[in-house]
Structures are given as C-alpha cells and as structure tokens.
Amino acid sequence: MAIVATSGCMEENSSDKPEKITVIVSILPQAEFVEKVGGEHVETIVMIPPGGSPATYEPTSSQLKELSKAEIYVKVGSGLPFEKVWLEKIKDINEDMLLVNSSKGIDLRPMGEGMDPHVWNDPNNAIIMVDNIYKALTEVDPSNEETYTQNRDSYTEELKSLDREIQETLENKAGNSFMVYHPAWGYFAERYDLNMVPIETEGKEASARQLSEIITFAKQENITVIFVQAQFSTQSAEAVAEEIDGKVVKVDPLARNYTDNMYKVSEAFREGLK
C-alpha cells in the first residue's frame, strides 16, 4: 500500500510541473539568447550542431520530428544559407509554430551578391535579437511576461558590458586589418573599426591570382595571423600563413556560450592584430 501511495504521489507531482515551451533555433549562439530570456520555462533545440556548417548542414529525421511539437522557431533571418534552403520545408512541418525573425530591426550589411548573415557577432545586434526573442516568448506565454522582462533586461546589461569591454580591449587597434578564411566577422569589424580581409568569398576558394594578391596585401600590412573557424577547411589559410611567415588561429563565430566566447574572440583579435 505504501508503494502504491508513493507512486500516486509521484505521478501527481510530475503532472503539476508546468510544460516547457519548445523553441527551435538555427544556430548555437541563439540558444543562449533564448535560454537567458526564457530560463526554466523553455527547452531549446538547435538545428545546426557544433561543428556543423550553416552552408551545408541538413537536418536529421529526429530534428524534423522535434519541429512538429515546437511552439516557436527563431530564425536568424539575415540570409543564413541553411535557412534559405530549409525554412519553407520547416514551416510546412508545423504550420502552427510561431516563426520569429530575430534580425528584425538590424541594419544588414552587403556581402557579395547578398547580405552578410553573421549579424550576431556584434553584441549590439545580439541585444536586438534578444528583444525579438523576448517578444515571441511573451506572445506565446503571456503568463510569464514579468519573468521574461526581468531576464531580458538583465541579459541586455550583460551584453552592453560585453560591448564596452571589447571596445576597451581593441581601443588601440582601430583601423587595423585582420585576415580571415571565412568572412564571418564583418559586423564585428564594423562595430570596432577594423578591416576584415577574407580569403574565401561567396563560399568559393580564392584563385591562385587572388591568393597572390592576398599574400602581397598581408605583407604590406604586416599581417601575421589568419583567423579560421572549425566549420571550414583551413588549407588555403595555412598556405597563406606559410607564405607570410605567420600562423593560423581558430576563433569560433558559432559557439553556444555567446558572451564567454566573445570575450575570448576579442582577446584573440587583440593579440593577433598589429
């Protein structure tokens, strides 16, 4: 009888637990944005996993199944290749899901024939993305609006502090050029008055002539560090580094722990910029 009574108690308690809102995001940094605002009220699922490339990743069948029960999908909304290919299919899987453009209100910068999708790499843009996520959560779950408001305000202050510290870290580097393999740091460069020089553009490897011009420029500007990310091949970057007697340094624009990672990134740029 005691066992039956305990069992009944456990079932009653578990049913009292409020259900979490399932929020799907495209990339890992968005997961921190959602969780910082939603706290214990959300369950976040990331479509592109660690090491996955937004240019080539295809969702698994289990991920597509998760989509069918989600209340919210937060897209980056700035031209991410993954979203260009998959967003219509994702919407068809769950027509009742609230689709949120987290880049709404951000001034997109041109990149090649389209727009630069890497908006989150400027903390000021991250603040806008967080506010768009906050609005979606309060729309779907108005009963917890007060909690979401407090969480948004607290995290916004954290992001403002991050921006100030990056400015201080890079204050003596204004106007300097840095070289990257994949052009993921355009918004970062714009915010902190730096000049990004990419080796790869429009998803294409540089030609022999372009590599020669890049090497010449690097020598003129005394660039000795090339920044790369794990999601792309580093072969071309290593070839350029060898020619300029430099080195390759990894910085991750797609880390889940957004604020901690951005501190590390700014320190890497401080050390790598002349």
Side-chain angles (χ1 to χ4, degrees), residues 15-216:
S15 65
D16 287 343
K17 288 182 182 176
E19 285 191 18
K20 294 188 175 187
I21 298 166
T22 301
V23 183
I24 313 278
V25 298
S26 293
I27 58 171
L28 287 157
Q30 289 176 297
E32 177 170 305
F33 300 165
V34 171
E35 287 159 5
K36 285 286 189 176
V37 178
E40 64 182 5
H41 301 294
V42 297
E43 177 190 1
T44 312
I45 297 167
V46 183
M47 295 303 288
I48 303 168
S53 166
T56 57
Y57 185 75
E58 296 187 3
T60 64
S61 56
S62 63
Q63 285 179 312
L64 295 175
K65 194 180 292 183
E66 294 280 5
L67 281 164
S68 65
K69 65 178 185 182
E71 283 88 356
I72 301 173
Y73 190 105
V74 181
K75 65 176 181 175
V76 177
S78 53
L80 200 73
F82 171 84
E83 292 176 353
K84 285 182 177 179
V85 173
W86 286 98
L87 207 56
E88 287 303 320
K89 296 170 189 173
I90 285 168
K91 284 192 288 187
D92 288 343
I93 290 169
N94 184 348
E95 293 179 354
D96 296 327
M97 181 172 60
L98 177 62
L99 183 63
V100 182
N101 177 7
S102 60
S103 290
K104 184 179 179 182
I106 294 174
D107 291 329
L108 302 182
R109 61 184 296 276
M111 187 175 81
E113 295 178 4
M115 306 308 286
D116 185 346
H118 308 91
V119 287
W120 62 92
N121 287 322
D122 174 350
N124 285 300
N125 289 345
I127 289 171
I128 296 171
M129 296 174 85
V130 165
D131 190 55
N132 287 326
I133 290 165
Y134 158 78
K135 289 171 183 172
L137 286 172
T138 54
E139 180 179 336
V140 169
D141 182 24
S143 63
N144 286 305
E145 181 174 356
E146 187 177 343
T147 299
Y148 297 147
T149 302
Q150 290 172 352
N151 290 350
R152 177 203 58 182
D153 293 348
S154 175
Y155 188 48
T156 296
E157 287 307 312
E158 196 177 319
L159 291 170
K160 287 179 180 178
S161 177
L162 169 66
D163 176 53
R164 286 192 297 270
E165 291 201 35
I166 295 176
Q167 284 182 316
E168 289 172 12
T169 299
L170 299 175
E171 65 182 347
N172 296 323
K173 307 295 182 180
N176 286 17
S177 296
F178 66 93
M179 194 163 282
V180 292
Y181 174 72
H182 180 71
W185 299 100
Y187 291 95
F188 184 93
E190 203 168 74
R191 173 64 184 160
Y192 304 111
D193 194 20
L194 304 171
N195 175 37
M196 180 180 70
V197 182
I199 293 174
E200 172 250 80
T201 52
E202 298 287 298
K204 298 171 186 172
E205 291 278 354
S207 66
R209 184 175 65 80
Q210 287 170 326
L211 277 177
S212 176
E213 290 172 356
I214 287 166
I215 289 165
T216 300

Side-chain angles (χ1 to χ4, degrees), residues 4 13 51 64 88 106 119 142 152 214 220 227 247 259 270:
V4 171
N13 289 341
L64 295 175
E88 287 303 320
I106 294 174
V119 287
R152 177 203 58 182
I214 287 166
Q220 287 172 347
F227 296 100
K247 63 179 179 177
T259 48
R270 186 188 68 78

